[in-house]
Amino acid sequence: AHDQFTYNRLLERANAQRKKSTPFFYTIFTLSSHEPYDVPGKPALAGSSKTIQFKNSHHYADSCFADFIQKAKQQAWWNNTWIIVIGDHGHVLPGNEYASHMPDEFKIPMVWLGGAIKQKTVITTTYSQINLAPSIAQYLKLQPRSFEFSTPINLNDTTQLSAWYSYNDGFASVYDNSHYFMYGLNNRQITVKKGLFNKTDLTCAQAFLQVLMEDFYKK
């Protein structure tokens, strides 16, 4: 379903839930920005290249989200609502046709919106998506549970592993824009690095992959 219709359904459900006077939680997954980049209406940019299609689909997706936010601001539940926007992955486009697996391809922003956000700020610290779920649980004081692969975001702790990602034949650990390394599973060595590392850094990244795969196989 195109984003404009999906957001309309979300707005309907949120308003219906509000009438019950109970807290609600929804997750929406946008599809309009994904291949095959099929969006309704006249495209914003002329052309048929993959890059142009990519940009047009994201222009449409962003416009639908902006329209939803403007409508949401008019609703009774806006002042008590926390909206989190985050990507599930990065992309080689625009700019590249083939993946290099460098950290820039995996870099995604996170945006917090809603009336529940009382302070405007920009945080440049690098974290992983997996830190989000335990952070939400902690901030909302929900019943504590075990998050085996992640911990809440702690802006005062600069020692924790920031972000780990994998690709077809390797993985990487990213601490910030000037501190990361990539490891190849075929040649079993660090293939790209920036900043200083020690054996413990690599061991922790390898251990994460091992525990992750063991958990996957158990399921």
Side-chain angles (χ1 to χ4, degrees):
H2 295 301
D3 280 3
Q4 63 190 89
F5 305 112
T6 309
Y7 281 120
N8 286 340
R9 178 63 64 85
L10 174 62
L11 194 66
E12 292 173 1
R13 291 194 173 188
N15 286 333
Q17 197 70 29
R18 169 63 181 172
K19 293 178 181 179
K20 299 178 182 179
S21 299
T22 56
F24 58 87
F25 178 93
Y26 285 109
T27 298
I28 181 171
F29 185 78
T30 172
L31 288 176
S32 293
S33 59
H34 281 238
E35 294 88 345
Y37 310 128
D38 175 29
V39 295
K42 183 179 179 180
L45 301 174
S48 58
S49 69
K50 280 292 183 182
T51 296
I52 293 298
Q53 292 180 51
F54 178 87
K55 289 182 177 181
N56 278 327
S57 69
H58 280 72
H59 179 275
Y60 168 77
D62 286 350
S63 67
C64 292
F65 178 67
D67 180 66
F68 167 75
I69 292 298
Q70 293 305 313
K71 292 176 180 177
K73 287 181 177 180
Q74 309 304 316
Q75 310 308 314
W77 44 262
W78 173 261
N79 288 337
N80 296 316
T81 298
W82 178 16
I83 298 175
I84 301 173
V85 185
I86 190 169
D88 59 323
H89 59 78
H91 206 283
V92 297
L93 293 173
N96 297 298
E97 291 290 335
Y98 302 99
S100 66
H101 310 305
M102 292 292 288
D104 280 351
E105 293 178 3
F106 292 81
K107 186 177 181 180
I108 56 175
M110 178 168 62
V111 180
W112 290 4
L113 303 166
I117 306 299
K118 303 302 182 183
Q119 180 180 349
K120 292 184 178 181
T121 187
V122 177
I123 297 171
T124 59
T125 311
T126 300
Y127 290 96
S128 173
Q129 297 150 309
I130 61 176
N131 296 118
L132 182 57
S135 297
I136 293 174
Q138 182 183 74
Y139 295 157
L140 298 183
K141 296 180 172 57
L142 301 178
Q143 184 68 29
R145 55 156 291 175
S146 174
F147 291 92
E148 183 174 356
F149 298 103
S150 61
T151 57
I153 293 174
N154 181 358
L155 297 177
N156 296 317
D157 181 7
T158 59
T159 63
Q160 67 183 58
L161 177 64
S162 296
W164 182 98
Y165 68 84
S166 63
Y167 42 96
N168 290 348
D169 53 0
F171 60 81
S173 284
V174 181
Y175 298 86
D176 55 48
N177 290 336
S178 59
H179 189 190
Y180 59 82
F181 69 85
M182 298 168 61
Y183 183 85
L185 294 175
N186 293 329
N187 54 16
R188 298 187 179 183
Q189 64 182 16
I190 293 178
T191 56
V192 176
K193 65 178 180 178
K194 189 173 184 179
L196 299 177
F197 301 95
N198 56 45
K199 186 177 180 180
T200 302
D201 295 321
L202 177 58
T203 300
C204 288
Q206 290 172 321
F208 186 90
L209 175 60
Q210 181 175 339
V211 174
L212 180 67
M213 295 311 299
E214 286 176 351
D215 181 78
F216 175 77
Y217 289 137
K218 287 178 185 178
K219 297 175 179 177

